[in-house]
Amino acid sequence: MTDIKHPVKKFKKTERVPPEGYDSSNDFFEDVFMDKDMIWMGQNTNHLHGDIIADAMASCVKEKEYSKYPPPEGFSELRQLILEDLGFDNCEVLLTAGATESLYLCMQALIEPEDTVILSDPGYFIIGDFANRFGNIKYVPIYNEECGYKLTPELLRENMDDTTKMVILIDPLNPLGSSYTEEELKEFAEIAIENHLYLLHDVTYKDFAREHFLVENYAPGQTLTIYSFSKIFGMAGLRIGSVVASKELIDVIKNAVVNDLGVNIIAQYGAIAGLKSKSQWEGEIREIAFTNQRLIKETVDEIDGVFLPVYPSDANMMAIDVSGAGINPKDLSNYLFKRKIFAREGEYTSELFGDRYLRVSFSIPTEEIEIFCEEFPKAIEALRQK
């Protein structure tokens, strides 16, 4: 029998070390998912919704609408509602199976081997993995107070060169919760226009922000807005999102589409219901999230050697820096996990600074945040004594 020689991996992917006690990350996440007592602070998901979205999806299932393929580019009503939510008039919407697919399609369609994509560190590293598949990624360190814990126009100018093709603005930023002012976005737009760059504006967490602006308004035709239903709409497990851009850009990105039979029809029903009812529930969710992060801040402020790099966070998550306490975030994550609190160590979102912070999300019931606020100081003291 002739041995089969397997091909060398075509794509580089950031290596993830399985959590303590697990052979694979998938085994870990399956256990977390199945544990109904786990306090879910590790994936920036939103657990604060009522029944409006769920009822719309249940009706779709009851009517067995899932037996039919949806329109290949999605329901026109949904695409129009997305544009209205963003306040865009001259853009088109490409529905996708989640914002992550949107990011991949943008890289595949627009990045060539000689191109460089700029992304902050910390940041959402799957974007860097995608960029490396088709071009090159350059990470810019932003974990410092001087730059406000975010990529700035000044840092962009310092780090761009003739190969720079795209700049990633995660706004608000996962994992820190920092966000951009209107003036900063105008300056990014000027740089993009002067240097013929694409601006990829990932606004997944925009609805948790105190104030938010859209760079599409200042660099039309060069901006790709990444829109997600995973966070404020609480639909992470349904995998639905979109790319919103000029018709010319969307036409290019469509060439990279694999899923030409449409996006999950049940998710589309839920998304339509969510957008139509957003004004009814958005304020309450934001208020709970603001209350929850304030409780975390009050707890952290009482602990020596621990601080919040960004507060208030404009997302539904924040980073807790524990480096001054001499604690490894992975040890802290493991400690909390054994006490039914799921949080994430920083290495998931930063190669340079991941050993400094724990990332926690707070769009969960306040009584669960109160449990975290009881357990977190105990965890710090227990690990500090090791």
Side-chain angles (χ1 to χ4, degrees), residues 6 12 27 42 46 85 117 127 140 145 161 171-172 174 197 201 222 238 257 268 286 290 318 320 333 344 349:
H6 297 293
K12 179 184 176 183
D27 291 344
N46 177 12
D85 189 52
V117 176
I127 307 176
V140 178
E145 190 173 358
D161 58 28
D171 176 29
N174 177 11
L197 307 178
H201 197 193
Q222 292 174 234
L238 288 152
V257 168
Q268 288 193 60
R286 285 165 54 87
F290 287 136
M318 56 174 45
I320 305 177
S333 175
R344 298 297 288 277
T349 51

Side-chain angles (χ1 to χ4, degrees), residues 53-65:
I53 294 173
D55 286 347
M57 293 190 293
S59 176
C60 176
V61 172
K62 187 175 181 180
E63 297 295 326
K64 296 185 174 60
E65 296 281 26

Side-chain angles (χ1 to χ4, degrees), residues 252-270:
V252 173
I253 296 169
K254 283 179 180 177
N255 292 327
V257 168
V258 173
N259 183 19
D260 65 350
L261 292 176
V263 172
N264 185 306
I265 193 168
I266 299 170
Q268 288 193 60
Y269 271 74

Side-chain angles (χ1 to χ4, degrees), residues 139-257:
Y139 291 106
V140 178
I142 54 93
Y143 194 78
N144 64 81
E145 190 173 358
E146 183 179 346
C147 66
Y149 295 95
K150 59 186 174 183
L151 183 68
T152 63
E154 292 76 18
L155 284 173
L156 174 56
R157 288 192 178 95
E158 292 171 11
N159 286 276
M160 61 188 291
D161 58 28
D162 291 342
T163 70
T164 304
K165 183 72 169 291
M166 181 182 290
V167 181
I168 310 297
L169 302 175
I170 308 172
D171 176 29
L173 178 62
N174 177 11
L176 301 173
S178 42
S179 61
Y180 291 103
T181 66
E182 187 172 21
E183 290 307 310
E184 287 170 330
L185 291 179
K186 286 181 179 179
E187 192 168 349
F188 278 121
E190 290 173 3
I191 296 170
I193 292 168
E194 291 170 3
N195 296 276
H196 309 289
L197 307 178
Y198 294 120
L199 294 174
L200 189 148
H201 197 193
D202 185 338
V203 300
T204 294
Y205 302 96
K206 74 177 180 66
D207 294 300
F208 291 97
R210 293 163 294 169
E211 192 173 34
H212 192 270
F213 305 95
L214 294 160
V215 75
E216 167 68 31
N217 293 322
Y218 309 109
Q222 292 174 234
T223 300
L224 304 131
T225 302
I226 306 300
Y227 188 99
S228 174
F229 285 92
S230 293
K231 309 308 178 184
I232 196 69
F233 295 94
M235 297 173 64
L238 288 152
R239 310 312 305 130
I240 181 169
S242 67
V243 186
V244 186
S246 67
K247 182 182 185 307
E248 291 76 14
L249 274 176
I250 293 297
D251 284 346
V252 173
I253 296 169
K254 283 179 180 177
N255 292 327
V257 168

